[in-house]
Amino acid sequence: MRKEILFSGFGGQGVILASVILGRAAAVYENLYAVQTQAYGPESRGGASKAEVVISDEPIDYPKTLKPDCAVFFSQEAYNKYLHTVRKGARIIVEEELVPHRDTEFEKGLEVVSLPLTEIAEETTGLSLTMNILTLGILTAWTGVVSREAIEKAVLDAVPKGTEEINLKALHKGFELGEKAGAGDR
């Protein structure tokens, strides 16, 4: 079993943190092999960024994604640049307000959840910056790439002290949305 997950957006959206949390959930709490890699522009905020997580039940011989099984797109630039790297039938999550121009023809071969993620995060927690944690909840519930318990523990390990409750609220809202996606309600 080899699962490849791509997170992409711009600096400041928590792309890299989300990938680190997912990798930790797999490696530490699921006893799987996991490798996380990242790339970002010279700007720490606002520049393009992507992060990849490879999860396997066997040692990982190549740490980069070849054809992602799942992908998250938080910006138009990221969508334009990386959409065509995903495998046919991949599951993708799109921040619909930040990705207004979509390749509907290419998406026909994919499973897509498109939601106003930033808005939902803000409504749920009062903080738009919890959007990455919300998305991890969607990804986990929709794909089962790791267990809910593992991702919850990894989130609690990674978020700043004093923000645990708000981040769990975002994660649990993501679980709810991911369940709806799995039921075909997108």
Side-chain angles (χ1 to χ4, degrees):
M1 176 241 10
R2 179 184 167 104
K3 292 287 182 194
E4 300 180 353
I5 302 94
L6 168 72
F7 292 87
S8 58
F10 53 80
Q13 289 181 305
V15 167
I16 292 168
L17 179 60
S19 69
V20 168
I21 291 171
L22 180 61
R24 179 177 293 165
V28 176
Y29 297 109
E30 297 281 7
N31 291 317
L32 295 168
Y33 294 94
V35 178
Q36 183 272 343
T37 56
Q38 61 198 35
Y40 45 89
E43 313 86 356
S44 60
R45 282 190 147 346
S49 66
K50 82 167 180 170
E52 301 170 324
V53 181
V54 176
I55 298 170
S56 179
D57 56 0
E58 300 176 351
I60 297 167
D61 57 356
Y62 185 69
K64 306 287 275 173
T65 61
L66 300 169
K67 281 283 190 188
D69 302 289
C70 304
V72 174
F73 300 105
F74 288 153
S75 73
Q76 187 70 56
E77 181 184 355
Y79 178 91
N80 294 346
K81 192 170 185 178
Y82 302 117
L83 176 67
H84 296 274
T85 68
V86 303
R87 73 167 175 77
K88 189 170 181 63
R91 291 183 171 186
I92 67 168
I93 299 172
V94 178
E95 196 335 332
E96 70 181 19
E97 292 182 345
L98 298 177
V99 186
H101 307 291
R102 309 256 301 276
D103 184 342
T104 53
E105 194 58 37
F106 187 82
E107 282 186 16
K108 286 181 183 172
L110 307 174
E111 291 184 59
V112 182
V113 170
S114 177
L115 295 166
L117 300 168
T118 307
E119 181 182 312
I120 294 168
E122 198 160 329
E123 288 171 0
T124 303
T125 66
L127 293 171
S128 61
L129 58 85
T130 58
M131 182 254 299
N132 61 337
I133 304 299
L134 172 93
T135 304
L136 280 173
I138 295 169
L139 181 72
T140 299
W142 187 34
T143 69
V145 67
V146 293
S147 70
R148 292 178 190 209
E149 297 77 24
I151 201 73
E152 194 169 290
K153 288 176 183 175
V155 165
L156 291 174
D157 284 348
V159 300
K161 296 295 173 222
T163 68
E164 297 92 346
E165 189 176 317
I166 203 162
N167 280 288
L168 285 180
K169 194 172 182 182
L171 185 69
H172 294 155
K173 179 65 174 181
F175 290 162
E176 182 185 311
L177 295 169
E179 286 170 11
K180 288 181 183 176
D185 179 14
R186 296 177 207 141

